[in-house]
Amino acid sequence: MANARAAFADKVFGLSARDTSVRTEFLAGLTTFLTMSYIIFVNPVILKDAGMDQGSVLVATCLAAAVGCLVMGFYANLPVALAPAMGTNVYFTYGIVLGLGVTWQTALGAVFLSGILFVALSISPARAWIINAIPQNLKMAMAAGVGLFLIIVGLRSAGLIVDHPATLVTVGDLSSMEAILAVSCFILIGTLDARKVPGALLLGIIIITIIGAVLGLGPISGIVSAPPDMSPTWLAMDVATAFDLSLAAVVLSLLFVDTFETAGTLVGVTQPAGLVDEDGNIPNLSRAMFADSIATVAGAVVGTSSTTSYVESVSGVRAGGRTGLTAVVVGCLFLVGLFFAPLAGSIQSYATGPAIIYVGCVMAANLAKIDWEDLTTYVPCVVTAVSMPLTYSIATGIGFGFISYAALKLFSGRTREATIGIMVLAGLFLLRFIFL
């Protein structure tokens, strides 16, 4: 029986051709899941601030991740796992719902529309045009900017910074037990990750949550139970309102972020796996992008923000994952995560905030990949990265970046670098800032 299963898996995923085995792929999937499963606990907390039901969001998180992983595994045959994106969920809550004052149902409608557009791009030549139109330096700046955005949100969530009428922000009460636990959680996560401990973020969140419960700051209401009711978010998206012209920039921003983040992640995961050819081409790229877009659509239907490929998949690649079986294992484990709602509901902000900060710090490392020798390149990159947290809007940061990049290249005589793609995208954002 075991040999029959192995033969079937080899036929479906081509294990022999990629020099791997069922056991290796399973361990790789488990490793990837442990490194990214923190999203099961963090995503519901973030979307709860948008007014969404926390238990229902947990179900949506697990289902969207499972759908994405299964499609990626069976259709694209790549060891890339998916889940609701950190950064986009923050933009969903604080940038769209709270920032623009729209309902979370309308925001889900915007996510759904961006997913449909992503599906169309995935099966059309426009996909390559858009990705190739964005300079590599700006892509790195976008990733770093999202990281800085996460950092300020995490600091605020953990109570380490608070608002101030004169200086906008100031330090919070660092003598409080919540702040002490938050700082301890950040250091613990960083230490575990530096020591290559699988699931460092998840372990840090759970350990600090237990310590907080012992200190009486947040009792643990349970560990395992039947999945929560998902009816509060199931098909709750308001697509009709999302068609409003004033939300066009939001839909496009979600599309851009998802597209570029997916492209960057796919490159980052497939290269160490040895799956990229000599010309740098990724196998089954269109199928991988399609899996990502389908996951976003499915996520909007069940009730969560955009779903995307996770760079944490590299941990599974390091463990030997080479095929889509790794992603399938991750998808199945996310379905198991449906039963951990009580534990997720017990997680406090002093445990999730530091995890958000840490993820932001890791993403901010992309600043090192920017060309710091060319003023016309690094200035727009700085504008992009800094604008995101300071305007509390990922979309605004991207827009400022495109406009400043196009302007500096054009007016400094570097017209060859001001490509048609850049000029078109910069013009669209300029029109958006003027008229919307």
Side-chain angles (χ1 to χ4, degrees):
M1 182 64 72
N3 290 335
R5 287 197 295 265
F8 175 76
D10 190 19
K11 180 179 180 181
V12 174
F13 300 104
L15 304 183
S16 300
R18 296 188 183 178
D19 193 24
T20 184
S21 65
V22 172
R23 180 179 182 276
T24 298
E25 294 293 300
F26 175 81
L27 292 176
L30 178 61
T31 302
T32 296
F33 177 75
L34 288 175
T35 61
M36 62 184 290
S37 55
Y38 64 88
I39 196 64
I40 298 176
F41 305 102
V42 176
N43 197 48
V45 172
I46 293 175
L47 298 192
K48 180 181 68 174
D49 287 349
M52 301 178 71
D53 180 80
Q54 189 170 349
S56 185
V57 172
L58 181 140
V59 175
T61 299
C62 293
L63 291 180
V67 169
C69 289
L70 293 175
V71 176
M72 180 68 76
F74 284 113
Y75 186 59
N77 196 24
L78 291 174
V80 180
L82 299 89
M86 284 295 297
T88 309
N89 53 5
V90 172
Y91 174 50
F92 179 98
T93 296
Y94 303 103
I96 302 175
V97 177
L98 300 180
L100 299 179
V102 304
T103 66
W104 61 263
Q105 291 91 340
T106 299
L108 280 180
V111 171
F112 179 80
L113 291 179
S114 72
I116 294 297
L117 289 175
F118 197 4
V119 170
L121 285 175
S122 299
I123 59 178
S124 74
R127 166 185 53 82
W129 183 85
I130 290 181
I131 293 175
N132 294 332
I134 312 305
Q136 184 66 15
N137 285 284
L138 269 187
K139 292 177 183 176
M140 295 301 102
M142 290 178 196
V146 172
L148 297 178
F149 190 33
L150 288 177
I151 290 172
I152 196 170
V153 169
L155 289 170
R156 180 176 178 271
S157 175
L160 299 178
I161 61 172
V162 294
D163 61 338
H164 190 280
T167 60
L168 297 182
V169 294
T170 188
V171 67
D173 181 9
L174 299 183
S175 64
S176 69
M177 186 54 65
E178 288 84 356
I180 294 173
L181 284 176
V183 173
S184 300
C185 184
F186 179 81
I187 294 174
L188 175 60
I189 289 173
T191 301
L192 292 174
D193 197 30
R195 292 180 174 273
K196 311 296 183 184
V197 177
L201 275 84
L202 179 63
L203 285 174
I205 290 172
I206 292 177
I207 290 172
I208 294 300
T209 295
I210 293 174
I211 294 174
V214 171
L215 296 176
L217 297 178
I220 297 177
S221 56
I223 304 296
V224 180
S225 72
D229 177 21
M230 66 178 300
S231 60
T233 61
W234 169 255
L235 287 176
M237 56 187 182
D238 184 357
V239 179
T241 305
F243 269 108
D244 190 284
L245 187 59
S246 63
L247 293 177
V250 169
V251 174
L252 290 176
S253 297
L254 290 169
L255 174 63
F256 287 162
V257 171
D258 203 0
T259 301
F260 303 142
E261 185 173 341
T262 298
T265 298
L266 290 175
V267 172
V269 175
T270 55
Q271 279 186 337
L275 299 177
V276 179
D277 65 23
E278 57 184 15
D279 296 323
N281 298 316
I282 300 171
N284 297 331
L285 175 60
S286 294
R287 293 190 174 198
M289 301 288 278
F290 180 78
D292 200 293
S293 58
I294 286 295
T296 291
V297 173
V301 171
V302 296
T304 185
S305 52
S306 301
T307 302
T308 192
S309 303
Y310 262 57
V311 73
E312 283 87 345
S313 301
V314 172
S315 63
V317 167
R318 290 172 180 165
R322 294 294 181 272
T323 75
L325 182 55
T326 295
V328 170
V329 171
V330 177
C332 293
L333 291 174
F334 266 110
L335 293 178
V336 175
L338 287 169
F339 299 91
F340 287 90
L343 179 59
S346 303
I347 304 295
Q348 304 297 317
S349 59
Y350 54 73
T352 56
I356 296 172
I357 297 170
Y358 189 77
V359 172
C361 290
V362 172
M363 294 182 69
N366 284 288
L367 288 171
K369 302 175 184 178
I370 294 172
D371 178 10
W372 293 100
E373 299 298 324
D374 182 0
L375 180 147
T376 64
T377 293
Y378 71 73
V379 168
C381 289
V382 172
V383 169
T384 301
V386 174
S387 296
M388 289 186 188
L390 294 186
T391 63
Y392 227 66
S393 170
I394 293 175
T396 300
I398 293 175
F400 285 177
F402 280 131
I403 294 171
S404 58
Y405 188 94
L408 283 176
K409 294 294 184 182
L410 187 62
F411 297 134
S412 62
R414 310 275 287 274
T415 54
R416 289 187 177 181
E417 296 175 51
T419 63
I420 294 177
I422 282 290
M423 298 303 294
V424 169
L425 293 172
L428 290 174
F429 271 108
L430 186 61
L431 291 174
R432 177 247 177 175
F433 290 137
I434 295 174
F435 298 106
L436 298 180

